[in-house]
Amino acid sequence: MASQATKMNMLQGSLWDKILIVALPFALTGMMQQFFNALDIAMLGQFVGKEAMAAVGSNSSVLATTLSLFIGISLGANVIIASFIGKKDMASVHKSVHTAILVAVLCGVGMTLLGEAVTNTLLDFLAVPGEIRHMAEMYLRIYFLGLPVIFLYNFESAIFRSQGDTRTPLYCLITGGVIKAGLNLFFILQLGMSAEGVAIGTIVANMISSGLLFYFLRRSHTEIRVRLHEFAIDKVLLVQILKVGLPAGLQNMVFCLSNLCIQSAINSLGPDVMAASAAAFNVEIFTYFIINAFGQVCTTFTSQNYGARLLSRCKRVFVLCLAIDSGVAIVGGVLTIVFAVPLLSLFNTDATVLSLGYTRLFYIQAFCLVEVVIEIISGAMRGYGNSLIPAVITLFGICGTRVTWVYTIFTGDPTFACLMMVFPVSWGVTAVVLAGAYRWFLWHLPMWKHA
């Protein structure tokens, strides 16, 4: 499977078909990952109860915030490795791979220790109701134990993507996910476990997926091959990875940190709203993964072509990614709204939960096209090596708008519908500012006018 990466030539030939070849498996990877997460919620909702479902759902923003920073840093590894591939600097590719893997493991261990130390503080901040507090704490503590292998999987996936291989991470994810589903049934139905059971299954699944990716990296016949005796952190390359990856991670965190504030407001509305929001999130996220996939692919293709100074192809990458992503997002958003009730019923059939879940889905899916603009522009700028501009704009446009909304507009009208309106509003503000900043950035990009 790993050898498939050598077949993707991003520097020559047509682009639209290659973009689809790379983007679709990547989108499917995210969708499958979320499918297995959604399966956790569905099993708890069907076999345990909506309290257990709400307990796991209440942690979604915390976990997304934790993972988003390091997924962003892994994107930095993707950009740097892809750029070196474009420059045909294979020695630097080799060093970057070993540096990235070590960083993943070390950061995972550090975040596990930090997460265990602040679990109760996080639950207090989220105002998790007392009736589900114990289950929520067990789930969160067990999940934190698996962060090293979760981080490792994401960094390994970024390494494969830098060469255009999005299939190998998908195959490894599916393998681990199928085993996870079986473990969940065993833990819940046979052992009578609740939230802690699906948390254990998650750790085992990620151990399998990351272990398989490591195996293929060890057996690769390309420059991404891993050799145990050559593991070392190259400080110069680490700085380059962090220069791109850290702002990207902070941009991702901004979304998630603002969502922590929103989750706290959701929790204040009671268990029914919490359960409905958790169910809707696990439906809407599938559309997001498709949108995000083209943003990530835009980054990789732009990185390689910019490294090779093929700026005219960079322009074409941007236009094609924006056009294709917009079309897919429109179709996905419409289908999600039309089939909202049947999809939500997979998690819980309570009438109140279904009604509230539909409200969230409408506000998210009806405006997902605006999110496409944010993802593609951010992806392109990261491909050129600048993650700081989209990160700063996102900080003020997304986080600033959402926090302000929760503590002003929502306080005056504390309803679920009012709270959900913050998503399209914050996207709109951010997209307008980001589009202007992108035009300015291109105008000042070296060699752009002559491309």
Side-chain angles (χ1 to χ4, degrees), residues 392-416:
V392 172
I393 292 174
T394 301
L395 172 63
F396 291 98
I398 296 291
C399 190
T401 301
R402 292 181 182 180
V403 172
T404 301
W405 185 281
V406 168
Y407 289 104
T408 56
I409 307 298
F410 174 70
T411 301
D413 182 18
T415 63
F416 189 51

Short mmCIF file of all heavy atoms in Angstrom, two decimals, residues 392-416:
data_model
loop_
_atom_site.label_atom_id
_atom_site.label_comp_id
_atom_site.label_asym_id
_atom_site.label_seq_id
_atom_site.Cartn_x
_atom_site.Cartn_y
_atom_site.Cartn_z
N VAL A 392 -4.50 34.20 12.71
CA VAL A 392 -4.86 35.45 13.40
C VAL A 392 -6.28 35.88 13.03
O VAL A 392 -7.07 36.27 13.89
CB VAL A 392 -3.85 36.57 13.04
CG1 VAL A 392 -4.34 37.92 13.58
CG2 VAL A 392 -2.48 36.24 13.61
N ILE A 393 -6.60 35.79 11.74
CA ILE A 393 -7.95 36.17 11.30
C ILE A 393 -9.00 35.26 11.93
O ILE A 393 -10.07 35.72 12.35
CB ILE A 393 -8.03 36.12 9.76
CG1 ILE A 393 -7.16 37.23 9.17
CG2 ILE A 393 -9.48 36.27 9.29
CD1 ILE A 393 -7.06 37.19 7.66
N THR A 394 -8.69 33.98 12.01
CA THR A 394 -9.62 33.03 12.63
C THR A 394 -9.80 33.34 14.12
O THR A 394 -10.91 33.21 14.65
CB THR A 394 -9.11 31.59 12.46
OG1 THR A 394 -8.98 31.30 11.08
CG2 THR A 394 -10.09 30.60 13.08
N LEU A 395 -8.72 33.74 14.76
CA LEU A 395 -8.79 34.07 16.18
C LEU A 395 -9.85 35.13 16.45
O LEU A 395 -10.70 34.98 17.33
CB LEU A 395 -7.43 34.54 16.68
CG LEU A 395 -7.38 35.10 18.11
CD1 LEU A 395 -7.75 34.02 19.11
CD2 LEU A 395 -6.01 35.68 18.42
N PHE A 396 -9.82 36.19 15.64
CA PHE A 396 -10.75 37.28 15.86
C PHE A 396 -12.12 37.01 15.21
O PHE A 396 -13.15 37.31 15.79
CB PHE A 396 -10.16 38.60 15.32
CG PHE A 396 -9.00 39.10 16.12
CD1 PHE A 396 -7.70 38.85 15.71
CD2 PHE A 396 -9.19 39.79 17.30
CE1 PHE A 396 -6.62 39.30 16.45
CE2 PHE A 396 -8.12 40.25 18.06
CZ PHE A 396 -6.83 40.00 17.63
N GLY A 397 -12.10 36.44 14.01
CA GLY A 397 -13.35 36.22 13.30
C GLY A 397 -14.21 35.12 13.89
O GLY A 397 -15.43 35.28 14.05
N ILE A 398 -13.58 34.00 14.23
CA ILE A 398 -14.34 32.87 14.77
C ILE A 398 -14.48 32.97 16.27
O ILE A 398 -15.59 33.05 16.81
CB ILE A 398 -13.66 31.54 14.39
CG1 ILE A 398 -13.68 31.33 12.87
CG2 ILE A 398 -14.35 30.37 15.10
CD1 ILE A 398 -15.04 31.09 12.28
N CYS A 399 -13.35 32.94 16.95
CA CYS A 399 -13.39 32.92 18.41
C CYS A 399 -14.02 34.20 18.97
O CYS A 399 -14.89 34.14 19.84
CB CYS A 399 -11.97 32.74 18.96
SG CYS A 399 -11.91 32.42 20.74
N GLY A 400 -13.58 35.35 18.47
CA GLY A 400 -14.09 36.61 18.98
C GLY A 400 -15.59 36.74 18.80
O GLY A 400 -16.32 37.12 19.73
N THR A 401 -16.07 36.40 17.60
CA THR A 401 -17.50 36.51 17.32
C THR A 401 -18.31 35.55 18.18
O THR A 401 -19.35 35.92 18.74
CB THR A 401 -17.78 36.22 15.83
OG1 THR A 401 -17.06 37.15 15.02
CG2 THR A 401 -19.27 36.32 15.53
N ARG A 402 -17.83 34.31 18.31
CA ARG A 402 -18.61 33.31 19.05
C ARG A 402 -18.66 33.60 20.54
O ARG A 402 -19.72 33.47 21.18
CB ARG A 402 -18.04 31.91 18.78
CG ARG A 402 -18.27 31.46 17.35
CD ARG A 402 -17.75 30.08 17.04
NE ARG A 402 -17.97 29.75 15.64
CZ ARG A 402 -17.63 28.61 15.06
NH1 ARG A 402 -17.04 27.66 15.77
NH2 ARG A 402 -17.88 28.41 13.78
N VAL A 403 -17.53 33.97 21.11
CA VAL A 403 -17.52 34.28 22.54
C VAL A 403 -18.40 35.50 22.82
O VAL A 403 -19.17 35.52 23.80
CB VAL A 403 -16.08 34.52 23.04
CG1 VAL A 403 -16.07 35.04 24.47
CG2 VAL A 403 -15.26 33.23 22.95
N THR A 404 -18.27 36.52 21.98
CA THR A 404 -19.09 37.72 22.15
C THR A 404 -20.57 37.39 22.06
O THR A 404 -21.39 37.87 22.84
CB THR A 404 -18.72 38.77 21.09
OG1 THR A 404 -17.35 39.11 21.21
CG2 THR A 404 -19.57 40.02 21.26
N TRP A 405 -20.92 36.54 21.09
CA TRP A 405 -22.32 36.15 20.88
C TRP A 405 -22.88 35.43 22.11
O TRP A 405 -23.99 35.74 22.57
CB TRP A 405 -22.42 35.25 19.65
CG TRP A 405 -23.82 34.88 19.26
CD1 TRP A 405 -24.61 33.92 19.83
CD2 TRP A 405 -24.59 35.46 18.20
NE1 TRP A 405 -25.82 33.85 19.18
CE2 TRP A 405 -25.84 34.80 18.18
CE3 TRP A 405 -24.33 36.46 17.26
CZ2 TRP A 405 -26.82 35.12 17.26
CZ3 TRP A 405 -25.33 36.78 16.34
CH2 TRP A 405 -26.55 36.12 16.36
N VAL A 406 -22.11 34.48 22.64
CA VAL A 406 -22.59 33.69 23.78
C VAL A 406 -22.86 34.58 24.99
O VAL A 406 -23.86 34.39 25.70
CB VAL A 406 -21.57 32.59 24.13
CG1 VAL A 406 -21.91 31.95 25.49
CG2 VAL A 406 -21.55 31.52 23.05
N TYR A 407 -21.98 35.56 25.21
CA TYR A 407 -22.11 36.37 26.42
C TYR A 407 -22.92 37.65 26.22
O TYR A 407 -23.07 38.44 27.15
CB TYR A 407 -20.72 36.72 26.97
CG TYR A 407 -20.03 35.51 27.56
CD1 TYR A 407 -19.00 34.86 26.88
CD2 TYR A 407 -20.44 34.99 28.79
CE1 TYR A 407 -18.38 33.73 27.40
CE2 TYR A 407 -19.82 33.86 29.33
CZ TYR A 407 -18.80 33.25 28.63
OH TYR A 407 -18.19 32.12 29.15
N THR A 408 -23.46 37.85 25.02
CA THR A 408 -24.31 39.02 24.80
C THR A 408 -25.65 38.60 24.19
O THR A 408 -26.68 38.64 24.86
CB THR A 408 -23.61 40.04 23.87
OG1 THR A 408 -23.24 39.41 22.64
CG2 THR A 408 -22.37 40.62 24.54
N ILE A 409 -25.65 38.20 22.94
CA ILE A 409 -26.90 37.86 22.24
C ILE A 409 -27.60 36.68 22.91
O ILE A 409 -28.81 36.72 23.19
CB ILE A 409 -26.63 37.54 20.75
CG1 ILE A 409 -25.87 38.68 20.07
CG2 ILE A 409 -27.95 37.26 20.04
CD1 ILE A 409 -26.60 39.99 20.07
N PHE A 410 -26.85 35.60 23.18
CA PHE A 410 -27.46 34.41 23.77
C PHE A 410 -27.95 34.68 25.19
O PHE A 410 -28.98 34.14 25.61
CB PHE A 410 -26.43 33.27 23.78
CG PHE A 410 -26.91 32.03 24.49
CD1 PHE A 410 -27.92 31.25 23.95
CD2 PHE A 410 -26.36 31.66 25.70
CE1 PHE A 410 -28.35 30.11 24.61
CE2 PHE A 410 -26.79 30.52 26.37
CZ PHE A 410 -27.80 29.75 25.82
N THR A 411 -27.26 35.52 25.92
CA THR A 411 -27.71 35.86 27.28
C THR A 411 -29.07 36.53 27.25
O THR A 411 -29.91 36.29 28.12
CB THR A 411 -26.69 36.79 27.96
OG1 THR A 411 -25.41 36.14 28.01
CG2 THR A 411 -27.12 37.15 29.37
N GLY A 412 -29.31 37.34 26.22
CA GLY A 412 -30.60 38.01 26.09
C GLY A 412 -31.69 37.09 25.55
O GLY A 412 -32.87 37.33 25.81
N ASP A 413 -31.30 36.06 24.83
CA ASP A 413 -32.27 35.11 24.26
C ASP A 413 -31.70 33.70 24.41
O ASP A 413 -31.20 33.11 23.47
CB ASP A 413 -32.51 35.44 22.78
CG ASP A 413 -33.55 34.51 22.14
OD1 ASP A 413 -34.32 33.87 22.90
OD2 ASP A 413 -33.58 34.43 20.90
N PRO A 414 -31.78 33.14 25.62
CA PRO A 414 -31.13 31.85 25.91
C PRO A 414 -31.88 30.65 25.34
O PRO A 414 -32.38 29.79 26.07
CB PRO A 414 -31.11 31.82 27.43
CG PRO A 414 -32.30 32.61 27.84
CD PRO A 414 -32.43 33.70 26.80
N THR A 415 -31.97 30.60 24.00
CA THR A 415 -32.61 29.48 23.32
C THR A 415 -31.59 28.76 22.46
O THR A 415 -30.56 29.33 22.07
CB THR A 415 -33.78 29.95 22.44
OG1 THR A 415 -33.27 30.80 21.40
CG2 THR A 415 -34.81 30.70 23.27
N PHE A 416 -31.88 27.52 22.13
CA PHE A 416 -30.95 26.73 21.33
C PHE A 416 -30.80 27.31 19.92
O PHE A 416 -29.71 27.35 19.36
CB PHE A 416 -31.45 25.28 21.26
CG PHE A 416 -30.46 24.33 20.65
CD1 PHE A 416 -29.15 24.27 21.10
CD2 PHE A 416 -30.85 23.48 19.63
CE1 PHE A 416 -28.24 23.38 20.54
CE2 PHE A 416 -29.96 22.58 19.07
CZ PHE A 416 -28.65 22.53 19.52
#
